[in-house]
Amino acid sequence: MMKKKSISASKASLFFFLCQMISALDVPLDLSQPPTITQQSPKDYIVDPRENIVIQCEAKGKPPPSFSWTRNGTHFDIDKDELVTMKPNSGTLVINIMNGGKAEAYEGVYQCTARNERGAAISNNIVIRPSRSPLWTKEKLEPNQVREGDSLVLHCRPPVGLPPPIIFWMDNAFQRLPQSERVSQGLNGDLYFSNVQPEDTREDYICYARFNHTQTIQQKQPISVKVFSMDSLNDTIAANLSDTDIYGAKPVTERPPILLTPTGTTSNKVELRGNVLLLECIAAGLPTPVIRWIKEGGELPANRTFFENFKKTLKIIDVSEADSGNYKCIARNILGSTHHVISVTVKAAPYWITAPRNLVLSPGEDGSLICRANGNPKPSISWLSNGVPIAIAPEDPSRKVDGDTIIFSAVQERSSAVYQCNASNEYGYLLANAFVNVLAEPPRILTPANKLYQVILDSPALIDCAYFGSPKPEIEWFKGVKGSILRGNEYVFHDNGTLEIPVAQKDSSGTYTCVARNELGKIQNEVQLEVKDPTLIIKQPEYKVIQRYGHVSFECIIKHDSTLIPTVIWLKDNDELPDDERFLVGKDNLTIMNVTDKDDGTYTCIVNTTLDSVSASAVLTVVARPNPPFDLELTGQLERSIELSWIPGDENNSPITSFVIEYEDGLHEPGVWHYQTEVPGSQTTVQLKLSPYVNYSFRVIAVNEIGRSQPSEPSEQYLTKSANPDENPSNVQGIGSEPDNLVITWESLKGFQSNGPGLQYKVSWRQKDVDDEWTSVVVANVSKYIVSGTPTFVPYEIKVQALNDLGYAPEPSEVIGHSGEDLPMVAPGNVQVHVINSTLAKVHWDPVPLKSVRGHLQGYKVYYWKVQSLSRRSKRHIEKKILTFRGNKTFGMLPGLEPYSSYKLNVRVVNGKGEGPASPDKVFKTPEGVPSSPSFLKITNPTLDSLTLEWGSPTHPNGILISYILKFQPINNTHELGPLVEIRIPANESSLILKNLNYSTRYKFYFNAQTSVGSGSQITEEAVTIMDEAMASRQVDIATQGWFIGLMCAVALLILILLIVCFIRRNKGGKYPVKEKEDAHADPEIQPMKEDDGTFGEYRLFSFVSSAPF
């Protein structure tokens, strides 16, 4: 997009340059020159007969020209006609029709002549014709009675007007009649029916003719059309028609195409070069024929070919001789085809190859006027001098006519004249004026001095030097005040004096001097060129997909020359943004709030400066859930299936992926919709399976990536016939709720599964593995039946069968159930405990006999609890823990036990009813473990060489404590650890004084307890012995001495002075010896240390000592 804009800007610049080249040939108006026609009326000038006639003729020249007119080849004396005036200082005629004149009286061919002492220029022949809008002639229009399917042509035949009128068909209500492939208007204005239908019957087919020049509309009398179908003909009409017309006729039958226009198989068409070629074919037939166009032996011209009027009209714009040839239209329907060939010949009125151009010569110079034109047929060339055929014009010895060229040799001032070239053939003419002006003038530069030109980097720069002189001056260009003459491939020098720099760069900016010289003198002019940075869009808007009612933002971040002021414009679909407060235009973005479907489109950011323009576009696609489907239709109704079809709603820019079909059972569950099936989004019909005895309604929901549409309107209802049930209840179970019953349950059939009225269930049961007969009972539409008096926990075979008023469902399958459970009778035996470690034990037991379980064995539960800790005799609350082991398992692990403790446990069997009796309690003990960490460690009473330690015993000894272990080691000022010392302390101790420690030293202590099993986790602490008081005093004295403070201040001042000196020398660019350079850039890692520099070392020592803890 940006590149395209840049190219357009370049084309505009070149166009402007060409205009400059043309204007450079103009003679300054202060110099003598022959007349030049500057404005005239068109050759074929149709005027409004109600308004004044204005025939334009304007010209320039020095001295100012005088004007005269001819009418129909003879002098037109305007002074003798009071209705005709000529505008002051102009040749334009005004014919005052509004004061009683008649336009028809002034029809004719007019020509204007502008004349001064140096020659005469003439205008084109201007044909004046008043427009005409005559009324329709009176005619009697018979009603058109036509059979359905026949073709029909309603003729318009408008009155001949000037210019021809525009034709259209309307009804009495001034509404345009609808047109289609079947009914359309031809180029001649007639209304063509390929075949008529009953809806074509009406009495107000009216043809209108609009005459644009007079702004009038003429109306033809209404035409009546009556379409008869064979089925609707009544006896009255039949009596008025012959047997051949009616009784021999067949019902509406299909017919192959025939052409209504043009007639025959071939025709010819002549069109002029540059015009629009219109070819037409309209066919009758049933079904309505389709028209196709081809060019025999070639292709239809791309980009210039258009089809109109439902492809019945072929339109080719800007035709040329290459478009001549045979064009075939083919009309086709299912019964056949027909065709017509139109032979097109493209002729050409004269057109210029080289039009003569004004010629400025100095006395004694040579020159020529060239007049070359083409056309079909080839035009003839004739010359005039000052409006007179050159053959009878006054002789000029410097002039020689050679066909389409006049050659001038050694001209003199009397050779000045205006020459006319006329190129004509049977289709028109061209007339061009070109003067020869003989002048002797020194150079003059017409471009203003010091004019400023501004261009964009890497674009062409065109610097003007518009000049005039006779003889023609030579032009030279210089850059800068004292620069050399410009030459080379990087410059282009144009004939009109313009200097072109094809690709301007930053160094192209500056002053340029143009020098013009001829034999009569020399002149120069300076102009300025500035090259600016291009405007760029560095962050372009990007393609966005947004859901309806969301917010979206397009970015357009630009970079531009600092001296140019950009303006940013946003467009939507190449038009202004809607006047809507939802559109928020920011500095570098466009935000759209609450996006709607109408916001869909292309958004363009256009950045304009005075020198360039760039743009970038992005597409916004607004998506939403699809619109609901509509027009649901049920077809192919059968007892167990039906076909549903629908029309999809708008997909809202997100393709429909699937359709969900739901149904409602109006008989059993009105108002409740159930899922039926889902089909792909490309499918709009589906075959649905149905159940008997259901009053179906269907609806369809469309689904896309955004979501589900609203449901469609329900379809019509369809009630299926009753039938036996197809299926039996599901999820049949037999589970006793009491030890002496069996509860049989099932999931009832849904309403549509009943297949008919009177739904019931036949419930049957018998004890398994016993040779019993089935016991059955028929129950109403329920979902449970209780069998009483059963043995405890006995297996039963069970089945449930559905039935309705029409019969039974298929034989159901059998399921196994059990009567009710009772509590287990026996406890597990032979319970054994194996202690694995101080926190884990394994328990074993023998399983109970299955008969004693009296129900479904669910597992075993182990109850265990801590009786007491063996290391402490204190009583505690007994908290029982339970572990459940599923199934017929006979062992389990007991985790999380406490070391050195006494435990009890028992085991119970579990069924669906509950737990059985507990086994006898089993006692076991856990061995000792390692203790927990001491409860606390405190370090008090620090002295120069001792510290006092106090501690608490472990919260969980987990055995009998045998000792405490103390480890400690010093820590120096760099946090390095010294040698580790270990001390064993009796278990009954709770404090210790450590002596013979170093003064002012930090120690780290590690402390834990031990049982016979091992050491427990440790706790750590740190403490510091105090420092010697005398040393601390000395350190404080040094830090507070005045001499030391003064020394520090002096050092700081010296460093500040050195920094200032270095800064001054660097800013002045001062030089320094090579030795100083080497010292300054030497590697700091190999620099020798200066032994005399003890100041900072002492300061560091002071800092270290002063920060040491007391």
Side-chain angles (χ1 to χ4, degrees):
M1 183 69 74
M2 293 172 63
K3 183 175 180 181
K4 183 178 179 181
K5 281 289 185 181
S6 177
I7 292 174
S8 299
S10 174
K11 288 182 177 179
S13 299
L14 291 175
F15 176 77
F16 179 65
F17 161 68
L18 292 174
C19 293
Q20 289 178 317
M21 289 187 64
I22 296 172
S23 63
L25 301 176
D26 289 346
V27 179
L29 289 177
D30 61 332
L31 299 177
S32 296
Q33 58 181 293
T36 300
I37 300 290
T38 59
Q39 192 173 3
Q40 57 183 315
S41 293
K43 293 179 182 178
D44 190 7
Y45 188 18
I46 299 175
V47 298
D48 190 333
R50 301 165 300 179
E51 298 179 354
N52 292 339
I53 301 174
V54 178
I55 311 175
Q56 290 185 328
C57 181
E58 304 290 341
K60 64 178 182 177
K62 184 67 181 281
S66 60
F67 297 90
S68 62
W69 285 86
T70 62
R71 178 183 172 191
N72 298 327
T74 60
H75 176 67
F76 183 36
D77 190 350
I78 63 175
D79 294 333
K80 293 184 178 180
D81 192 335
E82 60 181 7
L83 297 180
V84 182
T85 58
M86 186 183 296
K87 291 184 178 181
N89 303 316
S90 168
T92 298
L93 294 182
V94 178
I95 302 175
N96 198 337
I97 299 300
M98 300 179 70
N99 281 348
K102 291 187 177 181
E104 292 80 2
Y106 292 93
E107 285 191 60
V109 181
Y110 293 77
Q111 189 172 44
C112 170
T113 301
R115 187 185 309 274
N116 68 8
E117 61 189 30
R118 287 191 166 252
I122 60 176
S123 70
N124 290 322
N125 286 329
I126 303 170
V127 179
I128 301 295
R129 295 185 296 169
S131 64
R132 293 187 292 274
S133 53
L135 297 176
W136 242 291
T137 56
K138 295 287 186 179
E139 58 181 326
K140 184 177 181 181
L141 299 177
E142 297 292 337
N144 290 273
Q145 297 186 358
V146 59
R147 292 183 304 181
E148 179 182 355
D150 287 354
S151 62
L152 175 65
V153 180
L154 300 183
H155 297 288
C156 181
R157 298 191 184 98
V160 177
L162 186 66
I166 297 172
I167 305 301
F168 52 94
W169 289 79
M170 301 178 75
D171 59 17
N172 275 331
F174 297 100
Q175 299 297 313
R176 285 187 179 268
L177 296 175
Q179 298 191 22
S180 62
E181 289 185 343
R182 187 177 63 85
V183 182
S184 61
Q185 178 182 316
L187 294 176
N188 63 354
D190 292 347
L191 191 62
Y192 291 85
F193 295 77
S194 295
N195 53 78
V196 296
Q197 301 296 325
E199 61 265 24
D200 296 327
T201 297
R202 63 190 307 152
E203 297 181 352
D204 57 348
Y205 286 93
I206 305 174
C207 181
Y208 288 86
R210 184 174 67 214
F211 298 89
N212 282 344
H213 261 69
T214 57
Q215 295 297 310
T216 58
I217 296 178
Q218 304 289 356
Q219 171 184 335
K220 186 182 179 77
Q221 289 180 298
I223 302 175
S224 173
V225 173
K226 175 95 176 189
V227 179
F228 296 101
S229 62
M230 295 304 299
D231 295 336
S232 63
L233 286 177
N234 56 38
D235 295 338
T236 304
I237 298 177
N240 295 322
L241 296 175
S242 68
D243 292 344
T244 302
D245 290 335
I246 294 299
Y247 302 107
K250 298 179 181 179
V252 177
T253 57
E254 297 178 338
R255 296 188 309 280
I258 59 171
L259 286 175
L260 298 175
T261 183
T263 57
T265 58
T266 61
S267 59
N268 298 311
K269 172 81 171 182
V270 175
E271 192 56 80
L272 292 182
R273 178 180 184 271
N275 286 355
V276 176
L277 173 65
L278 292 174
L279 304 178
E280 181 182 58
C281 275
I282 300 178
L286 186 66
T288 302
V290 176
I291 305 295
R292 185 168 67 92
W293 291 90
I294 61 172
K295 183 181 181 182
E296 293 183 342
E299 299 291 332
L300 295 174
N303 302 324
R304 295 189 293 115
T305 300
F306 303 92
F307 297 100
E308 297 179 347
N309 198 21
F310 310 97
K311 292 191 176 182
K312 300 175 186 178
T313 302
L314 171 66
K315 177 180 178 180
I316 302 177
I317 63 173
D318 192 22
V319 293
S320 64
E321 288 85 344
D323 295 320
S324 296
N326 292 332
Y327 292 81
K328 178 188 285 188
C329 71
I330 304 168
R332 183 184 305 274
N333 68 9
I334 59 176
L335 298 183
S337 65
T338 186
H339 69 270
H340 185 94
V341 177
I342 306 174
S343 179
V344 174
T345 303
V346 178
K347 299 291 187 177
Y351 56 92
W352 290 119
I353 297 176
T354 304
R357 300 181 61 184
N358 292 338
L359 189 62
V360 179
L361 302 173
S362 62
E365 276 193 314
D366 301 336
S368 63
L369 293 177
I370 300 174
C371 177
R372 290 180 183 151
N374 202 358
N376 185 11
K378 181 80 174 176
S380 60
I381 304 294
S382 60
W383 287 95
L384 296 88
S385 176
N386 295 327
V388 178
I390 202 164
I392 59 174
E395 291 189 5
D396 182 350
S398 65
R399 178 183 69 209
K400 179 183 177 182
V401 178
D402 184 7
D404 58 9
T405 304
I406 302 179
I407 302 171
F408 298 93
S409 304
V411 297
Q412 300 300 319
E413 187 173 354
R414 66 176 178 275
S415 300
S416 295
V418 181
Y419 290 87
Q420 290 81 34
C421 172
N422 186 301
S424 60
N425 66 12
E426 61 186 278
Y427 297 106
Y429 73 94
L430 293 173
L431 177 68
N433 290 276
F435 63 66
V436 175
N437 196 14
V438 181
L439 295 172
E441 285 292 326
R444 60 171 75 182
I445 294 179
L446 308 178
T447 300
N450 294 314
K451 184 176 180 180
L452 176 62
Y453 292 88
Q454 294 178 327
V455 298
I456 294 296
L457 182 69
D458 293 331
S459 64
L462 299 170
I463 308 174
D464 292 334
C465 183
Y467 65 89
F468 184 79
S470 186
K472 181 180 179 181
E474 295 181 357
I475 302 298
E476 293 177 324
W477 281 96
F478 300 84
K479 184 179 180 185
V481 179
K482 298 181 179 179
S484 59
I485 188 170
L486 297 181
R487 293 188 177 89
N489 294 331
E490 65 267 32
Y491 301 104
V492 178
F493 303 94
H494 293 281
D495 290 341
N496 67 342
T498 296
L499 169 67
E500 179 182 353
I501 306 174
V503 183
Q505 301 298 313
K506 283 291 187 180
D507 57 6
S508 302
S509 299
T511 302
Y512 289 81
T513 302
C514 165
V515 177
R517 59 165 59 89
N518 67 8
E519 61 190 36
L520 301 179
K522 167 187 170 183
I523 191 171
Q524 69 180 40
N525 184 38
E526 291 182 355
V527 294
Q528 307 296 323
L529 174 63
E530 292 180 356
V531 180
K532 306 290 187 179
D533 289 325
T535 303
L536 302 173
I537 300 180
I538 58 177
K539 184 66 183 295
Q540 300 187 7
E542 298 176 345
Y543 172 74
K544 295 292 180 75
V545 177
I546 190 72
Q547 289 191 34
R548 188 187 294 164
Y549 308 125
H551 304 335
V552 67
S553 182
F554 292 107
E555 287 188 290
C556 185
I557 301 177
I558 64 173
K559 179 182 178 183
H560 61 91
D561 192 285
S562 58
T563 63
L564 299 177
I565 300 175
T567 58
V568 180
I569 301 173
W570 286 91
L571 302 178
K572 178 182 183 294
D573 297 330
N574 294 322
D575 205 348
E576 293 183 359
L577 290 178
D579 185 13
D580 192 327
E581 61 184 9
R582 297 181 300 109
F583 288 76
L584 307 177
V585 179
K587 178 183 177 183
D588 51 16
N589 61 30
L590 167 65
T591 301
I592 308 173
M593 311 294 289
N594 298 321
V595 172
T596 64
D597 292 340
K598 66 181 180 181
D599 299 328
D600 205 87
T602 301
Y603 290 83
T604 304
C605 165
I606 302 177
V607 185
N608 294 315
T609 68
T610 54
L611 298 181
D612 63 350
S613 176
V614 293
S615 68
S617 297
V619 174
L620 173 63
T621 300
V622 181
V623 297
R625 296 183 299 170
N627 291 350
F630 57 95
D631 280 357
L632 273 64
E633 185 178 4
L634 297 176
T635 56
Q637 290 90 340
L638 300 174
E639 289 187 5
R640 293 296 182 101
S641 69
I642 197 168
E643 184 173 270
L644 172 66
S645 61
W646 61 90
I647 298 176
D650 193 333
E651 63 185 17
N652 292 324
N653 293 326
S654 180
I656 295 174
T657 56
S658 63
F659 292 99
V660 176
I661 292 88
E662 296 181 339
Y663 72 90
E664 175 197 32
D665 181 0
L667 193 62
H668 302 97
E669 293 180 290
V672 179
W673 289 91
H674 301 275
Y675 172 86
Q676 171 92 4
T677 188
E678 188 169 351
V679 297
S682 58
Q683 188 172 329
T684 58
T685 61
V686 64
Q687 194 78 20
L688 300 175
K689 293 182 179 179
L690 305 180
S691 295
Y693 195 54
V694 177
N695 193 12
Y696 282 100
S697 288
F698 299 97
R699 68 183 187 184
V700 183
I701 299 171
V703 182
N704 64 11
E705 288 187 357
I706 310 305
R708 295 162 63 104
S709 73
Q710 292 293 318
S712 68
E713 291 294 322
S715 70
E716 60 181 305
Q717 291 186 331
Y718 179 60
L719 178 62
T720 55
K721 295 181 180 179
S722 300
N724 294 9
D726 292 325
E727 51 191 311
N728 288 302
S730 60
N731 197 22
V732 177
Q733 293 181 340
I735 302 174
S737 61
E738 298 294 338
D740 61 348
N741 75 7
L742 172 65
V743 179
I744 302 174
T745 60
W746 60 89
E747 286 188 12
S748 299
L749 299 182
K750 296 181 180 179
F752 74 91
Q753 295 175 311
S754 67
N755 286 5
L759 177 64
Q760 294 178 302
Y761 300 101
K762 179 182 179 184
V763 183
S764 304
W765 68 92
R766 69 180 177 183
Q767 190 171 333
K768 190 175 185 298
D769 300 328
V770 176
D771 191 15
D772 283 348
E773 294 294 327
W774 288 95
T775 302
S776 300
V777 64
V778 175
V779 299
N781 187 10
V782 294
S783 60
K784 181 172 71 172
Y785 182 76
I786 300 176
V787 180
S788 301
T790 62
T792 301
F793 197 65
V794 172
Y796 279 86
E797 293 176 322
I798 303 167
K799 57 184 179 181
V800 180
Q801 185 178 25
L803 66 151
N804 63 17
D805 291 351
L806 280 79
Y808 285 88
E811 185 65 24
S813 58
E814 300 170 9
V815 298
I816 303 299
H818 287 80
S819 57
E821 300 178 69
D822 207 345
L823 293 176
M825 300 170 60
V826 180
N830 193 24
V831 177
Q832 302 290 330
V833 179
H834 172 59
V835 177
I836 297 174
N837 57 38
S838 62
T839 61
L840 180 65
K842 184 175 183 180
V843 60
H844 289 263
W845 61 87
D846 290 340
V848 299
L850 288 179
K851 288 187 177 181
S852 67
V853 175
R854 299 203 296 180
H856 295 286
L857 175 64
Q858 295 187 354
Y860 293 87
K861 286 186 178 181
V862 177
Y863 286 75
Y864 67 101
W865 61 96
K866 180 179 175 181
V867 178
Q868 67 177 20
S869 173
L870 298 179
S871 60
R872 295 177 183 176
R873 298 299 178 184
S874 59
K875 293 185 177 181
R876 54 172 289 174
H877 173 69
I878 295 177
E879 179 183 353
K880 289 188 177 182
K881 297 182 180 179
I882 304 174
L883 283 177
T884 302
F885 300 95
R886 298 290 178 185
N888 196 19
K889 201 168 185 181
T890 59
F891 67 91
M893 308 297 290
L894 305 180
L897 303 177
E898 294 184 12
Y900 205 52
S901 300
S902 176
Y903 280 87
K904 287 185 178 181
L905 66 77
N906 58 51
V907 183
R908 310 177 191 195
V909 68
V910 181
N911 67 10
K913 191 71 173 179
E915 300 174 4
S919 66
D921 290 349
K922 187 74 174 178
V923 178
F924 66 96
K925 297 178 181 179
T926 56
E928 289 187 79
V930 297
S932 64
S933 60
S935 57
F936 67 89
L937 175 62
K938 293 194 298 186
I939 304 173
T940 61
N941 302 326
T943 67
L944 287 174
D945 61 352
S946 69
L947 292 168
T948 300
L949 282 69
E950 297 177 356
W951 61 86
S953 61
T955 306
H956 300 287
N958 294 338
I960 299 173
L961 295 181
I962 60 174
S963 64
Y964 292 99
I965 303 298
L966 174 66
K967 298 177 183 179
F968 64 93
Q969 60 189 143
I971 306 173
N972 65 14
N973 290 325
T974 59
H975 301 289
E976 294 175 347
L977 299 173
L980 188 66
V981 178
E982 181 175 325
I983 300 174
R984 185 177 295 274
I985 304 169
N988 58 353
E989 297 289 339
S990 61
S991 64
L992 175 67
I993 299 175
L994 284 177
K995 297 182 178 180
N996 299 321
L997 301 177
N998 296 328
Y999 71 87
S1000 188
T1001 302
R1002 180 176 292 276
Y1003 287 90
K1004 186 167 186 178
F1005 298 91
Y1006 312 89
F1007 193 67
N1008 60 353
Q1010 277 190 330
T1011 64
S1012 60
V1013 177
S1015 299
S1017 56
Q1018 63 184 17
I1019 59 175
T1020 62
E1021 285 290 342
E1022 293 185 12
V1024 182
T1025 57
I1026 66 173
M1027 83 166 29
D1028 181 58
E1029 294 181 0
M1031 183 178 292
S1033 177
R1034 286 197 299 273
Q1035 291 293 334
V1036 173
D1037 290 343
I1038 293 173
T1040 57
Q1041 294 298 311
W1043 66 268
F1044 184 78
I1045 296 173
L1047 178 61
M1048 293 298 100
C1049 292
V1051 171
L1053 181 60
L1054 179 60
I1055 292 173
L1056 179 61
I1057 293 172
L1058 287 173
L1059 289 173
I1060 294 173
V1061 171
C1062 291
F1063 179 73
I1064 293 173
R1065 295 188 66 185
R1066 180 178 292 262
N1067 283 351
K1068 289 186 177 181
K1071 299 180 181 178
Y1072 40 84
V1074 175
K1075 182 65 174 68
E1076 292 179 8
K1077 287 185 179 181
E1078 292 174 352
D1079 290 344
H1081 294 85
D1083 190 336
E1085 295 183 359
I1086 61 174
Q1087 292 261 6
M1089 296 183 65
K1090 297 183 180 180
E1091 296 179 358
D1092 57 350
D1093 188 15
T1095 306
F1096 288 94
E1098 183 178 346
Y1099 179 76
R1100 287 194 293 273
L1101 177 61
F1102 169 74
S1103 299
F1104 173 76
V1105 172
S1106 65
S1107 63
F1110 291 97

